Amino acid sequence: MEVEKITLFTVVLTLFGCNNNQLDSKIIVNNYITNGQFELAPFSKIIKKQKIEGTYSGIIETIPNGLITFYRLNDKKVYIDFKKDNYMIDSQKNSKYKINFDDKQNILTIEDSFGNNVVKPTYDDQGRIIKIENSVIGGSHYTFVNQLSYENNLMQTNEYQIFNKIDGQQSIPYYLNKKQYFYNSENQLIKTIESSFIAKDGKFNTDDQNQTIPDEQLTCIFDDHNQYGDWTKLYCLTPKKETKRFILRSIEYYQ
């Protein structure tokens, strides 16, 4: 499994004052979170279609209320049908799943054909996602767990962990990614500091004080925000100032 491809979209951009009134902005952000497209959530105006190019390529399409109906990340395609409550992954066998929504169109669970919950978000008392358990993205071998924290309705940290299922029952740590988020005075996301850890035989490297040693550290800059507050350029640098990722983002909005 290529960790970089799976963990590209693991930061959260908060949606403020959405000027399209079909749906609460918090629901739109939750929808982007449950679809793994956190950093691409709109800031102030509902996005119809967006395209990313660079280190990775992708497309996201939504319906007029801002909820995602299709996205592509490299060769992986996902289709979401809100009328039929279906979630389908184009490149995966037995890829058709059933979505269970609450009355606000928040995703409660996604079930496989046997009725097993393969995606389960947890919400806080303000209706924000604080945890996601996911066993769809990596198929039968991996489980993904996101732990999210907020302050003043802004994402502060995201701890993203992958567990390897070794015997169908037991899971051991495989990968850990920790992010911190930084914003400008207009509450636009401008930077993340990211630390990644890769486990060997279920254990992460530690120092003499038993502190986990990161295998990689990146500072990611979100730049060239447009008139609606959405960033259009992303680049991530190593401690030696080497460019690790570079993304350009083009956006089409609903009128």
Side-chain angles (χ1 to χ4, degrees), residues 52 55 68-70 90 93 106 108 161 185 187 194 248:
I52 63 166
T55 307
I68 296 171
T69 55
F70 169 79
D90 186 54
K93 292 182 179 179
N106 276 315
L108 294 177
Q161 192 159 2
S185 60
N187 292 327
E194 173 182 339
L248 293 176

Side-chain angles (χ1 to χ4, degrees), residues 15 18 20 23-33 41-42 46 64-68 106:
L15 180 64
C18 180
N20 298 67
L23 201 65
D24 185 287
S25 61
K26 192 181 299 178
I27 310 305
I28 296 173
V29 174
N30 285 342
N31 181 259
Y32 274 77
I33 291 174
I46 289 178
N65 64 9
L67 300 183
I68 296 171
N106 276 315

Side-chain angles (χ1 to χ4, degrees), residues 8-41:
L8 170 63
F9 303 126
T10 54
V11 297
V12 179
L13 182 63
T14 304
L15 180 64
F16 290 94
C18 180
N19 60 4
N20 298 67
N21 296 319
Q22 296 95 329
L23 201 65
D24 185 287
S25 61
K26 192 181 299 178
I27 310 305
I28 296 173
V29 174
N30 285 342
N31 181 259
Y32 274 77
I33 291 174
T34 51
N35 283 290
Q37 310 300 328
F38 309 162
E39 70 179 31
L40 300 175

Side-chain angles (χ1 to χ4, degrees), residues 78-81 84-90 92-100 109-119 134-140:
V78 174
Y79 302 84
I80 302 160
D81 189 328
K84 297 182 180 179
D85 298 343
N86 286 339
Y87 180 99
M88 186 176 72
I89 303 174
D90 186 54
Q92 193 179 94
K93 292 182 179 179
N94 303 317
S95 66
K96 196 170 183 179
Y97 303 91
K98 181 181 183 297
I99 307 176
N100 297 306
T109 59
I110 298 179
E111 299 178 0
D112 64 15
S113 58
F114 300 101
N116 301 311
N117 291 334
V118 292
V119 177
N134 187 328
S135 57
V136 171
I137 301 175
S140 59

Side-chain angles (χ1 to χ4, degrees), residues 165-179:
K165 291 185 278 188
I166 57 176
D167 60 7
Q169 296 292 328
Q170 184 180 3
S171 294
I172 61 173
Y174 173 78
Y175 175 81
L176 173 64
N177 183 280
K178 295 182 178 181
K179 287 192 176 76

